[in-house]
Amino acid sequence: MSTYALSVLIRRHRPLINRAMHVIRSREHWSPYPDDPGHDTYAAQNTAAGERAFRHLLGQPFDLGQPGRNGAVGPSPGAGGEFSPYGFPLHITYPHNDPAVLLPAMRAAMEDWRAASPLERAAVCAEILARINARSHEFAQAAQHTSGHGPVMAFHAGAVHAQDRGLEAVALGYTEQTRMPAEFTWRRPLADGRTFSLAKTFTPVPQGISLLIGNAVFPTWNGYPGLFASLVTGNAVLVKPHPRAVLPLALTVRVVREVLHEAGFAPDLVCLAAERPGEALARRLAVHPDVRIIDYAGTTAFGNWLTANAPQAQVHIAGSAVNSLLVESTSGYRAMLANIAFTLSLYSGQLCTTPQNLLIPRTGIDTDEGHKTYENVVTDLGTALDTLLADDTEAAAVLGALYAPHVRERVELATSGRLGPVAHPSRPVAHPDFPNAVVRTPVVVTLDAARPEDTATLLREWLGPVAFAVAVDSAEAGIALLRRTVRERGALSVGAHTRSPRLERALEDACADSGVMLSLNLTGDWYITQSAVYSDLHGTGLNPSGNTVYGDASFVAGRFRTVAVRRAADAA
């Protein structure tokens, strides 16, 4: 390895790493990656340059120089390929590599990386993130045209906030590896007045190869925590992207390999595993004995399969979520409705934190405008949605595009009335720049918690622009229902609007008992769907939505173990 290159990276990035470690302890607001697309940080690659860089990738082979290439994955006849939710194929061809060649090469690449110090690894990871940050507009384009994000969402969740999650994992991993001293002389006084001494060293040892199974909704935001947590703790990482969203993670792997090579490490430490249609590559790789860590964000069903079938690996799962929002009373009725409408509309409700079940007492709610009936609340929410999404151009920017055909099928099913009476129908939105984009406004369906068939519906996850206005007997009944939902189906977020301190305490108890984050009385420019990196924890690991927590030491600690060496020192 290049000692000079590493020393340069350490000098360049140690202040950043130290600052990130401090903020994780304080939980204050901070980010080194500006989320304003027009910030001077991105002068070298502005929005137009990022789009040009993306367009240059279309229709081209994406080579990575990995060993064991045995074909290609992409737009050949019958082989599928990525298709933008905005209505056009990407026509990018990715290498297909034989795992029997790839995995041994990755094991061999770990030798020098494992021998590097935690600080050296952290500095290399910080350099990788800096290189990615400089190309944030290109990464945003990749997110937009694989996952269907709107431009702002793509720049935030697809680029800079994903980078924040990566740096957060680096800081956590470095902190945990340096919790014990690298070396120490242990002394014990003896009865005769002498001192017995042992020279001890404590070395973090990685688990092995880490498998990152990407998703199609947030491939980088969900992928970077595991990628950088495993990398900083000394592990190799095999990245298996979702077939509909290969490009964001392929770009990431390319940058990682370039930085590793420049820093004097074998680039095969991180490799991409693109799969052919029907290959079920994630299942094959997950059970391989060399795979010791798995990171997966997606359906709970596949997460459960991984847990049951990959006992040789630590399996980190971020799974399905059925999120609830209780509306009991409010001091800002119109502001509450506007906040809920935007929350349901952002990225077409395809966020894993979007509230699905709006729990409203059937007797109505008290507000600053007087008492509102259940019917009033539902009707006024529909009006708020219409106001927000009245202009197609503005609506398209908020909604983005539906990332997959099965999401559109859910919207059509809900709009048909087969799930329940439709209080507010969904409508198609014409995108001003992409006429073939599939964009839909949210549909609101009314359900009654007293009806068993309605309860069965609301206890399922309906990811996408589908919301249920659920009539409950009382606020207390709503709390009981949300507690049941979290325990049985899992949730990443619970929200509530109430003016009652008693109900606030009851909600806090219910959410602590069932293990889910609670947001109270959010109005204005902060939403239940948002997560402040370095401050908020994403997930709790306490309910069926997953066993992993982004931003917590538990996410990184198991990726390595500490091996001690004791040497006898001279007695004094």
Side-chain angles (χ1 to χ4, degrees):
M1 71 182 70
S2 170
T3 304
Y4 172 75
L6 289 176
S7 65
V8 170
L9 294 182
I10 289 171
R11 287 197 302 273
R12 181 182 302 163
H13 297 297
R14 189 163 193 170
L16 175 72
I17 296 165
N18 289 343
R19 178 63 173 153
M21 292 167 63
H22 168 78
V23 171
I24 287 169
R25 289 192 297 270
S26 69
R27 296 287 161 175
E28 65 195 85
H29 168 69
W30 174 76
S31 171
Y33 309 122
D35 60 10
D36 175 7
H39 195 275
D40 290 345
T41 299
Y42 310 112
Q45 190 200 69
N46 57 21
T47 303
E51 183 174 0
R52 288 195 299 271
F54 165 74
R55 295 286 175 180
H56 182 71
L57 297 168
L58 302 182
Q60 301 297 318
F62 196 102
D63 191 29
L64 291 166
Q66 298 177 169
R69 177 164 180 160
N70 60 0
V73 175
S76 57
E82 294 162 298
F83 194 93
S84 170
Y86 289 90
F88 60 90
L90 304 193
H91 287 312
I92 301 173
T93 305
Y94 301 97
H96 186 278
N97 300 85
D98 183 359
V101 177
L102 209 56
L103 292 171
M106 296 180 71
R107 288 199 306 270
M110 280 186 63
E111 184 175 350
D112 286 343
W113 187 244
R114 181 178 57 210
S117 71
L119 180 57
E120 289 170 335
R121 291 196 292 261
V124 172
C125 289
E127 177 66 16
I128 292 167
L129 287 163
R131 301 275 185 97
I132 292 173
N133 178 252
R135 296 167 60 180
S136 289
H137 282 289
E138 180 182 358
F139 275 79
Q141 287 284 319
Q144 180 174 348
H145 291 294
T146 53
S147 299
H149 301 170
V152 175
M153 173 70 75
F155 191 80
H156 288 173
V160 294
H161 294 170
Q163 297 154 22
D164 278 322
R165 280 295 183 206
L167 181 60
E168 177 184 59
V170 171
L172 285 167
Y174 179 64
T175 298
E176 292 307 306
Q177 290 176 97
T178 55
R179 191 170 294 281
M180 287 187 282
E183 56 184 30
F184 182 74
T185 300
W186 179 84
R187 296 179 175 88
R188 177 183 176 180
L190 301 177
D192 60 4
R194 294 180 302 120
T195 299
F196 179 76
S197 302
L198 288 175
K200 299 185 179 184
T201 60
F202 301 93
T203 303
V205 177
Q207 292 278 9
I209 293 176
S210 176
L211 173 64
L212 169 60
I213 304 174
N215 64 31
V217 184
F218 289 107
T220 54
W221 197 94
N222 281 122
Y224 282 10
L227 169 64
F228 285 98
S230 286
L231 203 55
V232 76
T233 50
N235 302 280
V237 184
L238 181 57
V239 179
K240 207 298 292 180
H242 192 285
R244 281 198 299 270
V246 182
L247 183 58
L249 291 176
L251 285 170
T252 301
V253 170
R254 176 177 279 176
V255 174
V256 173
R257 291 174 64 86
E258 289 171 354
V259 174
L260 287 171
H261 174 72
E262 291 176 21
F265 296 100
D268 292 337
L269 187 72
V270 176
C271 292
L272 186 79
E275 67 178 316
R276 300 183 178 112
E279 187 177 7
L281 186 57
R283 292 177 183 263
R284 290 175 50 205
L285 292 172
V287 299
H288 195 283
D290 285 349
V291 171
R292 306 304 301 275
I293 303 166
I294 298 173
D295 287 285
Y296 169 71
T299 66
T300 296
F302 188 59
N304 291 339
W305 184 92
L306 291 169
T307 301
N309 291 276
Q312 87 290 349
Q314 295 181 27
V315 182
H316 299 266
I317 300 169
S320 307
V322 180
N323 305 310
S324 302
L325 176 65
L326 174 67
V327 180
E328 184 270 340
S329 59
T330 179
S331 298
Y333 184 60
R334 299 298 162 180
M336 179 193 75
L337 291 171
N339 187 277
I340 295 175
F342 188 86
T343 299
L344 297 179
S345 302
L346 185 61
Y347 186 36
S348 299
Q350 296 170 124
L351 291 157
C352 58
T353 48
T354 300
Q356 170 183 295
N357 299 332
L358 311 179
L359 311 179
I360 308 166
R362 66 179 76 254
T363 55
I365 70 171
D366 292 327
T367 80
D368 56 318
E369 298 182 6
H371 186 78
K372 300 290 185 180
T373 66
Y374 166 85
E375 291 77 14
N376 291 153
V377 176
V378 176
T379 298
D380 290 346
L381 175 60
T383 301
L385 285 166
D386 288 339
T387 300
L388 174 68
L389 305 173
D391 178 79
D392 274 9
T393 298
E394 294 180 4
V398 173
L399 294 165
L402 302 187
Y403 82 93
H406 66 265
V407 181
R408 179 173 59 185
E409 292 167 6
R410 288 183 195 137
V411 179
E412 292 171 350
L413 176 62
T415 302
S416 73
R418 283 179 285 171
L419 300 180
V422 177
H424 184 270
S426 173
R427 71 172 180 86
V429 172
H431 198 288
D433 300 318
F434 302 100
N436 295 324
V438 179
V439 185
R440 299 287 187 273
T441 63
V443 54
V444 180
V445 175
T446 58
L447 299 179
D448 192 322
R451 291 167 50 89
E453 57 269 40
D454 285 3
T455 302
T457 298
L458 65 87
L459 286 175
R460 290 178 54 194
E461 183 189 44
W462 299 83
L463 186 70
V466 177
F468 300 114
V470 183
V472 295
D473 288 338
S474 64
E476 290 76 12
I479 293 174
L481 180 56
L482 71 83
R483 185 197 298 259
R484 176 188 174 188
T485 304
V486 175
R487 284 180 168 177
E488 293 185 11
R489 299 301 180 188
L492 284 169
S493 62
V494 162
H497 289 271
T498 179
R499 299 187 297 193
S500 167
R502 178 185 61 82
L503 281 178
E504 282 195 14
R505 289 192 297 272
L507 283 159
E508 290 175 16
D509 289 344
C511 290
D513 180 58
S514 55
V516 64
M517 183 179 72
L518 172 64
S519 299
L520 289 168
N521 300 317
L522 295 186
T523 57
D525 295 329
W526 196 259
Y527 306 94
I528 188 176
T529 54
Q530 290 177 281
S531 181
V533 188
Y534 312 106
S535 183
D536 289 332
L537 301 176
H538 182 72
T540 65
L542 295 172
N543 68 65
S545 67
N547 65 358
T548 194
V549 186
Y550 298 160
D552 184 70
S554 65
F555 185 68
V556 301
R559 297 171 192 263
F560 71 96
R561 292 291 185 262
T562 302
V563 174
V565 176
R566 302 181 297 181
R567 292 179 175 86
D570 293 337

